[in-house]
Amino acid sequence: MSFEFVDLRSDTVTRPTPSMRKAMAEAEVGDDVYGEDPTVNALQEEAARLMGKEAALFVASGTMGNAVCVKAHTQPGEEAVMEATCHIYWFENGGMAAISGVIPKLVPSDHGILDPQKVREALRPAVYYLPRPSLLCVENTHNMGGGTCTPVPVLHELRAVARERGMATHLDGARIFNAATALGVAPSEVAAPFDSVQFCISKGLCAPVGSLVCGTKEFIEKARVIRKRLGGGMRQAGVLAAAGLVAFKEIVPTLKDDHRRARTLAMKLASHPDFSVEIDWVQTNIVMAKVRPPKTTAQVCAALKERGVLASPAGPANIRFVTHHDIDDAALARALEALDKPF
Ligand code: TLP
């Protein structure tokens, strides 16, 4: 057998499980642009049910899901308010500007958790010559915050702030099932304060491709038009959707194990001379470890690779480690062993 790295770069590296591959091979399909793919329809219905929304739309990626929602909620020249290190701002090629013509208003936070009062203070006054803040975006769990969870009461406070100004609310819930697992609530409770939510089946849920956008029936009809305009009208996409249906049943209940392994890894990193970790902020499947200077993140990632472990630099000082379904206890043990000595 060829050598396999312990790949902790992201939960996007997960591969479909054997039962997913079987479901994909056997999926009933049709032309989804005609609304005739029964497996896509089943996935969308189940996604809407899980999120407590009226309807859902299968899209190609989390990036497309966020882009469709930002476009559906805004007009060019308006402002979208969001946390300063969020994915929509940092990692989506300026899509909100290129596709929707909106400008971002960035609100700094503690580990990705927006403070409702700070959001209120960031909103420009309602004066005709100022860009109108029309959308509040929240990320839960928060990726660059280190997989942190915004508690449900705070989400409701954020919604209240947005409503004071007649703004729509969007949740980048790429990892909403991780958030719900860690918070001990149903995903629909995390989604409730939002007019739209996008979540990914292609991260910790192991499906190969795709995200779901959820909202009212009216919103989803608007989103469907935008998806098509972006080239995202897929045809026999049931082969992909089938994996998502398996993920809800088989993978979601295992996310707690990913979180347990992340915590074990975080403790090990915290005791390592070359790292520091804020252990209380390790809440789900992501560990942000700060590299102690003079060592650099590039040096440490290269040395980890030599020891069979992959992780990614995240910003100038941090290395991000992400646990997922393909990291079982044996793989975790290999990662821990690689951290037995200094770099
Ligand atoms: N995140 C990826 C990278 O792009 C950073 C990762 O490895 O974590 N929202 C959030 C919160 C995300 O973390 C990601 C992907 C997306 C949206 C975009 O999803 P995709 O990759 O499906 O476009």
Side-chain angles (χ1 to χ4, degrees), residues 28-189:
E28 240 189 281
V29 295
D31 190 331
D32 182 49
V33 173
Y34 297 154
E36 288 174 3
D37 188 305
T39 312
V40 170
N41 291 340
L43 178 70
Q44 291 174 166
E45 273 164 37
E46 186 57 5
R49 192 188 69 75
L50 287 167
M51 295 298 139
K53 304 293 183 203
E54 284 175 13
L57 184 72
F58 189 38
V59 295
S61 65
T63 302
M64 183 183 276
N66 286 331
V68 162
C69 291
V70 171
K71 179 82 181 157
H73 284 304
T74 60
Q75 294 297 322
E78 291 180 342
E79 195 165 62
V81 180
M82 57 192 72
E83 197 281 327
T85 60
C86 73
H87 197 278
I88 295 180
Y89 178 68
W90 271 93
F91 299 108
E92 298 184 10
N93 291 96
M96 79 181 107
I99 297 165
S100 302
V102 299
I103 59 168
K105 176 77 179 197
L106 301 179
V107 183
S109 77
D110 190 11
H111 295 82
I113 314 288
L114 280 171
D115 174 345
Q117 183 52 26
K118 290 214 175 101
V119 172
R120 186 179 281 114
E121 287 161 10
L123 300 181
R124 297 177 199 261
V127 180
Y128 82 91
Y129 50 77
L130 299 180
R132 185 175 100 82
S134 59
L135 176 64
L136 174 66
C137 300
V138 176
E139 188 174 311
N140 203 14
T141 64
H142 197 288
N143 188 345
M144 286 300 120
T148 51
C149 303
T150 305
V152 174
V154 178
L155 298 176
H156 282 283
E157 282 179 56
L158 289 166
R159 177 193 171 86
V161 170
R163 282 300 191 262
E164 284 165 16
R165 296 294 301 277
M167 297 163 68
T169 53
H170 169 66
L171 177 64
D172 178 353
R175 297 183 178 83
I176 194 171
F177 290 96
N178 296 87
T181 300
L183 293 168
V185 299
S188 58
E189 287 184 57

Side-chain angles (χ1 to χ4, degrees), residues 215-280:
T216 62
K217 278 192 181 133
E218 196 189 342
F219 180 83
I220 293 302
E221 282 325 301
K222 205 170 170 186
R224 193 187 308 282
V225 173
I226 299 167
R227 180 187 69 170
K228 189 77 175 86
R229 200 169 275 158
L230 295 178
M234 298 183 279
R235 302 291 177 175
Q236 286 72 32
V239 288
L240 302 174
L245 286 164
V246 174
F248 295 150
K249 279 210 192 76
E250 293 184 7
I251 309 297
V252 170
T254 69
L255 293 178
K256 60 178 185 330
D257 302 316
D258 299 343
H259 298 180
R260 170 179 55 79
R261 292 187 185 108
R263 206 163 177 85
T264 307
L265 182 64
M267 307 283 271
K268 181 78 180 184
L269 285 160
S271 68
H272 191 281
D274 293 326
F275 293 103
S276 66
V277 178
E278 294 176 287
I279 208 87
D280 286 347

